[in-house]
Amino acid sequence: MHKKKIAIAIILIFKYHSSLAYSDMEFDNDLLFYSDGKSSKDINLKYFSQDGSGVLPGTYKVDIVINNENITSENIKFIESKEKSGEVYPYITKEMLSSWGIDIYFLGKQQCLDECEKIESIIPDARVKFDHKKMRLDISIPQIYLKQPGIYNTVPDKWNEGINSILLNYDYNTNNQKNNNKYYTSSFIGINSGVNINAWRFRRDFSWSKQSRGKQQFKILNTYLQKDYSVLQGGELTLGQANSDGVIFDSFPLSGLQLASNDSMLAPYMTSYSPIIRGIASSPSVVTVKQNNNVIFRKNVETGPFEFNDIPQAISGSDLKVEIRGSDGKVQTYNQVAASVPMLLRKGRARYSLAIGKYRADDKSMFRESPIIQTTLGWGFGTETLYGGFQLSKDYNAQLLGIAKYLETLGAISFDITQANARILDKYGNFDNKKGQSLRINYSRNFEQTDTNINVTGVKYNSHDFYNFSETQNLSKINPINDTHIKSRISISISQNLNSYGSLTLSGSQDSYWGSSLPSQNFQVGYNLLIGTVFMNLAAGTSKSIYSNKKENNISLMLSVPLKNGNASANYMMANSSGKTQNQIGISGSMFQHNNLSYSLYGSKGNHSNNAFGFNTNYHSSMGDIGGSYSSSKNSRQISANGRGGLLISRYGVAMSTPLSFSGGNALIRTPNAEGIQFNGNSYAKTNRFGLGVITNLMPYSKNTISLDVNSIPDNVEIISADKSVIPTKGAVVLSQYKTSIGNRALISISLNNKAVPFGSIVTLKDDDNIQTGIASENGQVYLAGLPMKGVLNVSWGRTADKRCLAKYSLPESTSPITVVNAICYQ
């Protein structure tokens, strides 16, 4: 026994040093004589003494990780090196590397991976390491050989178009009211449906509604086919019924073809404008750019002038603080204004749209459906952006030209002018030619000294005869032109941070009309303050319609005080509308482990109404949301119910979920036969009885990390890796599949001819590729997870038949996390 322990210690020492020296160290089988006797001659450890080995030659499904980033899972063939016995390397082709985001054109014309077996011999300074326990292949490659995203958020080659699937969202609401013995009921169902086939997205939206004493209404809202593309700085092709791009011209419903830019494909610094940072370094320096005291950019520069035009800043935020810290100890600092308007683009950025089709009217008998061509283009030149476009139809044409400018002291401003010519019906049923101009201005500025943000939009119609395209289509004999026509429009919003004194927001708009001296107005002011744990909101507003000179004044006060348990709060609300005051007190909160159930109870009393009480509740689950409300007073009662969710159908089965994202990305989580596994960052979603779960609202064209909540994994489930990364395209359903071993965990001692199987033998469950591979220890013991109660094990310590055997095992009923059993191997 003493000699056996010495032998084992020596083996461990050699194993440790082999891991340090990699392939320079090998096991000496003679050292195993004291533990395995004559059987030590049969022990084959050459595949376990080399770095990156640990498996026999063959094909295995492994996770591909490049520079610590999870890329994909693929079947990889492992072959034995011709140069050194026992060395096993993954056989990887150029096509594989290209699909993983590696630029194979950097490798040279004479180099061909198809004729080589090691990445290290093709890519200088590359390193490969295989972890057989996690079935993970780590590849380290110099950054220069990786495909660069350029202006894109991620490399287009890595975009995942997702799996073929059918998507369905539903939104249901029903309401029943009784007021002074009069009843009113209404019901609504909204459906968003879609089919994903490769990169194509087919979408159809429709709704059903019914009101008391009214007819049922079923309406098809939009039907279109869509596909994205990465050329021309990224964009989307849309065929069918959709709304036109509304960045420059007013949006309108269209049936036809559209091409338009898609900003979500681009890197954040390209999707909106930020100023160019320029300066002069008196010595080798570090340039740091901060916004709201957060470092958003840092780079080393040499002595002399420098210029940066890729600062990833939030445009509507505060000013930029630039610090130049030289190696000579000199520090220069200055502020640069941060502001933007919708048309302001970075240098070299193009934003475009093209629409060909016809106006889509809700009622063809009342409105025209004229054919139209619309095109727009904006181009960034630095601190200026030029933009424009035209609309051309049978009875309408318009031309727009504008400029946006960034001013370091004043902020961002844009100005454009539109000339329109329309042939429309007047109120006498005659066609009349109308010509007019509109002027539009946008302004944005943040004053960092006071932390004040201002946004202003103003539109001026120079004459009564200016009409946009939608207005001309909505005029007919049944709905003729009238004298009340928009004359000017202005809107303004101001936000003011008061630090410990809260925050203040103001917003307002006013529309004036030709043929009317009554403007339409809407003004709001809000104030928020947190005092300790007590939250207060004070709001006031006034509005006036063009059809009435009477103002509607509103004011409200809300107080919220959290209760001791932290999941509930006591609330007070006072609301006054045109002299009618309502006071309400109540309690709101959430229940259960993941706060799935939210609720509120309240009672109210008013000076012009009866006392009332009510409640509302909503339950969130992995299959959607359901909720309801009830309120009652002396003369009235109201009951409502609602539900919303999604349904996903694919080759892997059916899964219900929260509403699917048609404008973002979705992930179908597959943990075969593992039920109830939850996901980090999404407390409501979990896998169903078939091991399927859905995560919605992923960022399209961006890297999203999906992590399983390891605390929710059942004891009989083994998952090798709980983290995956996905980059979905818009509307895609990407598959995130995890290797799961379902069953028991056991430590099995395997013997052959009354002796332990050779040290280093590979042990797998027969006829099951998903089970983990185990390696026998010096006494023939192996740990395996996900085992059924009975089965047959494949044991191999070489390639020939005399170095393989089969072992039947049977696990007893046990409450222990790990069962210890013996098994006899037969050849």
Side-chain angles (χ1 to χ4, degrees):
M1 177 64 71
H2 181 65
K3 292 180 179 179
K4 184 176 181 179
K5 291 182 178 179
I6 294 175
I8 294 173
I10 294 173
I11 293 169
L12 292 175
I13 292 172
F14 272 81
K15 185 176 181 180
Y16 173 74
H17 282 286
S18 69
S19 67
L20 294 177
Y22 301 118
S23 59
D24 294 332
M25 284 290 183
E26 294 185 1
F27 289 114
D28 186 350
N29 284 23
D30 292 337
L31 293 173
L32 302 177
F33 176 80
Y34 294 102
S35 62
D36 294 85
K38 295 181 180 180
S39 297
S40 64
K41 299 297 183 181
D42 295 327
I43 299 175
N44 184 1
L45 298 176
K46 67 177 183 178
Y47 296 116
F48 308 99
S49 60
Q50 312 294 333
D51 178 57
S53 303
V55 294
L56 297 174
T59 301
Y60 304 90
K61 189 169 186 177
V62 301
D63 292 329
I64 308 298
V65 181
I66 298 179
N67 293 355
N68 295 318
E69 180 181 347
N70 291 302
I71 302 299
T72 185
S73 295
E74 290 190 19
N75 289 317
I76 301 297
K77 183 179 180 181
F78 287 79
I79 61 175
E80 185 173 358
S81 173
K82 299 177 182 178
E83 301 172 356
K84 184 172 292 185
S85 177
E87 207 170 33
V88 177
Y89 275 87
Y91 183 79
I92 297 174
T93 65
K94 291 188 297 183
E95 289 74 17
M96 291 179 180
L97 289 180
S98 180
S99 68
W100 298 342
I102 298 170
D103 195 343
I104 60 176
Y105 296 102
F106 272 98
L107 305 182
K109 295 182 179 179
Q110 304 303 320
Q111 296 174 324
C112 177
L113 278 173
D114 296 334
E115 300 173 358
C116 308
E117 60 186 45
K118 298 180 181 179
I119 297 179
E120 296 95 320
S121 63
I122 300 301
I123 303 177
D125 299 318
R127 295 188 303 276
V128 178
K129 183 177 180 181
F130 178 61
D131 187 335
H132 69 273
K133 295 180 180 179
K134 297 182 178 179
M135 298 302 287
R136 167 175 163 154
L137 184 64
D138 276 282
I139 304 176
S140 176
I141 293 179
Q143 193 74 16
I144 192 174
Y145 298 113
L146 299 181
K147 294 178 181 178
Q148 300 303 315
I151 66 171
Y152 298 100
N153 197 23
T154 53
V155 177
D157 287 352
K158 292 185 179 182
W159 294 351
N160 192 332
E161 296 173 351
I163 59 176
N164 296 342
S165 54
I166 298 174
L167 302 83
L168 183 73
N169 282 342
Y170 64 90
D171 190 348
Y172 172 74
N173 179 276
T174 182
N175 190 286
N176 184 295
Q177 293 179 338
K178 174 187 175 183
N179 196 317
N180 292 323
N181 294 320
K182 293 182 179 180
Y183 292 89
Y184 173 82
T185 61
S186 64
S187 298
F188 170 83
I189 299 177
I191 299 292
N192 307 114
S193 63
V195 177
N196 289 358
I197 300 178
N198 299 327
W200 289 94
R201 313 281 182 251
F202 173 78
R203 302 291 185 252
R204 169 166 266 196
D205 304 331
F206 48 91
S207 66
W208 172 88
S209 63
K210 187 179 186 304
Q211 298 179 355
S212 56
R213 297 182 300 276
K215 295 182 179 180
Q216 299 184 32
Q217 286 189 337
F218 180 83
K219 297 189 68 174
I220 297 176
L221 305 176
N222 293 304
T223 302
Y224 59 91
L225 188 65
Q226 197 170 68
K227 186 182 185 298
D228 59 15
Y229 53 87
S230 60
V231 297
L232 302 175
Q233 298 188 1
E236 289 177 341
L237 165 66
T238 304
L239 301 170
Q241 300 172 330
N243 292 323
S244 68
D245 177 76
V247 175
I248 293 180
F249 286 111
D250 291 335
S251 180
F252 59 88
L254 175 79
S255 295
L257 176 148
Q258 294 187 68
L259 292 173
S261 298
N262 186 343
D263 283 354
S264 61
M265 295 180 176
L266 304 182
Y269 77 89
M270 286 297 295
T271 57
S272 55
Y273 178 84
S274 70
I276 297 175
I277 302 296
R278 297 184 178 92
I280 300 176
S282 59
S283 63
S285 305
V286 177
V287 178
T288 302
V289 181
K290 296 181 180 180
Q291 190 175 42
N292 293 323
N293 293 320
N294 296 316
V295 176
I296 61 172
F297 184 85
R298 178 173 286 159
K299 199 163 187 176
N300 290 71
V301 297
E302 295 299 319
T303 304
F306 59 85
E307 177 179 300
F308 301 122
N309 61 2
D310 57 349
I311 310 299
Q313 65 133 349
I315 294 304
S316 60
S318 60
D319 291 357
L320 302 178
K321 182 177 181 180
V322 182
E323 177 186 273
I324 308 170
R325 184 174 294 273
S327 58
D328 57 1
K330 183 179 179 181
V331 179
Q332 307 175 56
T333 60
Y334 65 92
N335 291 342
Q336 189 147 336
V337 173
S340 181
V341 293
M343 294 76 173
L344 200 55
L345 303 174
R346 287 179 178 270
K347 184 178 181 180
R349 167 76 169 110
R351 181 181 285 146
Y352 60 89
S353 71
L354 171 66
I356 303 175
K358 63 180 181 178
Y359 184 87
R360 178 165 50 93
D362 290 334
D363 189 340
K364 298 181 181 180
S365 64
M366 293 185 62
F367 308 120
R368 288 185 281 178
E369 290 189 314
S370 299
I372 183 173
I373 297 177
Q374 173 183 291
T375 183
T376 66
L377 176 64
W379 190 276
F381 289 94
T383 59
E384 300 89 16
T385 297
L386 292 180
Y387 60 93
F390 68 84
Q391 294 176 319
L392 180 61
S393 183
K394 178 181 178 182
D395 296 318
Y396 184 87
N397 68 82
Q399 304 81 40
L400 182 149
L401 184 63
I403 184 172
K405 174 72 175 177
Y406 172 78
L407 304 169
E408 292 189 1
T409 56
L410 297 179
I413 190 170
S414 69
F415 173 81
D416 56 64
I417 182 171
T418 303
Q419 172 69 42
N421 301 276
R423 187 170 177 265
I424 62 178
L425 286 168
D426 60 22
K427 59 185 177 182
Y428 303 106
N430 300 316
F431 278 100
D432 192 8
N433 293 321
K434 301 290 185 180
K435 296 182 180 180
Q437 302 83 34
S438 74
L439 305 176
R440 178 174 56 179
I441 187 170
N442 287 276
Y443 173 73
S444 177
R445 174 69 164 98
N446 180 275
F447 297 89
E448 187 177 28
Q449 295 82 356
T450 58
D451 200 3
T452 305
N453 186 276
I454 299 177
N455 289 278
V456 179
T457 299
V459 180
K460 171 66 175 177
Y461 300 91
N462 284 350
S463 70
H464 185 280
D465 292 338
F466 179 88
Y467 295 88
N468 63 34
F469 180 67
S470 293
E471 288 175 320
T472 63
Q473 301 306 297
N474 293 337
L475 298 176
S476 66
K477 292 182 179 179
I478 301 176
N479 184 32
I481 186 174
N482 58 66
D483 293 330
T484 304
H485 186 53
I486 187 73
K487 181 178 182 180
S488 65
R489 175 173 295 158
I490 185 170
S491 64
I492 182 171
S493 66
I494 302 174
S495 63
Q496 176 66 60
N497 183 14
L498 302 175
N499 299 318
S500 60
Y501 296 101
S503 62
L504 181 67
T505 59
L506 299 98
S507 62
S509 64
Q510 176 172 295
D511 294 348
S512 299
Y513 299 86
W514 297 101
S516 175
S517 60
L518 300 177
S520 175
Q521 298 175 333
N522 184 29
F523 297 96
Q524 302 286 334
V525 59
Y527 175 68
N528 295 324
L529 178 64
L530 184 65
I531 306 174
T533 60
V534 179
F535 176 77
M536 182 189 75
N537 172 267
L538 178 64
T542 181
S543 61
K544 187 176 66 171
S545 170
I546 183 178
Y547 304 107
S548 173
N549 200 30
K550 182 180 178 181
K551 289 186 176 181
E552 295 288 338
N553 299 316
N554 298 276
I555 186 170
S556 67
L557 171 67
M558 188 196 76
L559 297 173
S560 179
V561 182
L563 302 180
K564 288 185 178 180
N565 65 2
N567 290 330
S569 61
N571 309 305
Y572 167 75
M573 169 76 76
M574 184 280 296
N576 181 285
S577 178
S578 300
K580 296 182 179 181
T581 303
Q582 194 82 5
N583 291 279
Q584 176 180 298
I585 59 173
I587 184 172
S588 61
S590 57
M591 300 173 61
F592 304 143
Q593 180 182 359
H594 299 290
N595 297 320
N596 298 64
L597 181 67
S598 59
Y599 65 89
S600 66
L601 304 168
Y602 62 88
S604 63
K605 179 178 176 60
N607 62 352
H608 285 77
S609 62
N610 299 315
N611 299 341
F613 72 93
F615 71 89
N616 61 69
T617 183
N618 197 68
Y619 183 77
H620 310 275
S621 75
S622 59
M623 297 187 293
D625 301 342
I626 57 173
S629 66
Y630 174 84
S631 64
S632 177
S633 66
K634 182 178 179 180
N635 298 318
S636 65
R637 184 203 65 194
Q638 176 173 293
I639 303 174
S640 68
N642 60 81
R644 59 194 298 264
L647 182 69
L648 177 62
I649 304 173
S650 70
R651 57 177 291 195
Y652 302 99
V654 179
M656 298 186 70
S657 71
T658 55
L660 298 162
S661 177
F662 285 62
S663 59
N666 309 274
L668 176 63
I669 312 301
R670 188 167 183 254
T671 57
N673 301 316
E675 179 182 358
I677 297 179
Q678 297 175 329
F679 320 125
N680 290 326
N682 192 324
S683 58
Y684 305 137
K686 61 182 179 181
T687 56
N688 60 20
R689 59 180 297 187
F690 304 107
L692 298 177
V694 180
I695 296 180
T696 63
N697 297 313
L698 299 177
M699 292 294 295
Y701 313 103
S702 300
K703 179 183 175 183
N704 298 262
T705 300
I706 299 174
S707 300
L708 303 184
D709 183 359
V710 295
N711 296 320
S712 66
I713 299 176
D715 292 337
N716 67 332
V717 177
E718 190 85 6
I719 294 182
I720 297 175
S721 176
D723 298 325
K724 299 284 185 181
S725 295
V726 296
I727 304 176
T729 57
K730 179 182 175 181
V733 178
V734 298
L735 177 65
S736 184
Q737 187 163 254
Y738 296 82
K739 301 173 185 175
T740 56
S741 299
I742 313 297
N744 302 279
R745 303 176 183 182
L747 189 62
I748 305 176
S749 296
I750 307 174
S751 61
L752 174 65
N753 299 327
N754 296 321
K755 295 181 181 179
V757 294
F759 177 40
S761 297
I762 303 295
V763 183
T764 58
L765 184 65
K766 186 180 180 181
D767 301 326
D768 192 339
D769 296 332
N770 293 322
I771 196 69
Q772 290 189 64
T773 300
I775 301 176
S777 65
E778 51 87 19
N779 59 359
Q781 279 192 330
V782 62
Y783 169 79
L784 292 173
L787 292 172
M789 295 301 292
K790 295 181 180 181
V792 179
L793 300 175
N794 278 321
V795 185
S796 173
W797 58 94
R799 295 186 177 183
T800 59
D802 62 332
K803 295 183 179 181
R804 296 195 295 268
C805 64
L806 297 176
K808 293 183 178 180
Y809 74 91
S810 179
L811 303 180
E813 295 290 343
S814 174
T815 58
S816 175
I818 300 178
T819 305
V820 180
V821 295
N822 298 317
I824 298 176
C825 214
Y826 298 94
Q827 290 181 317

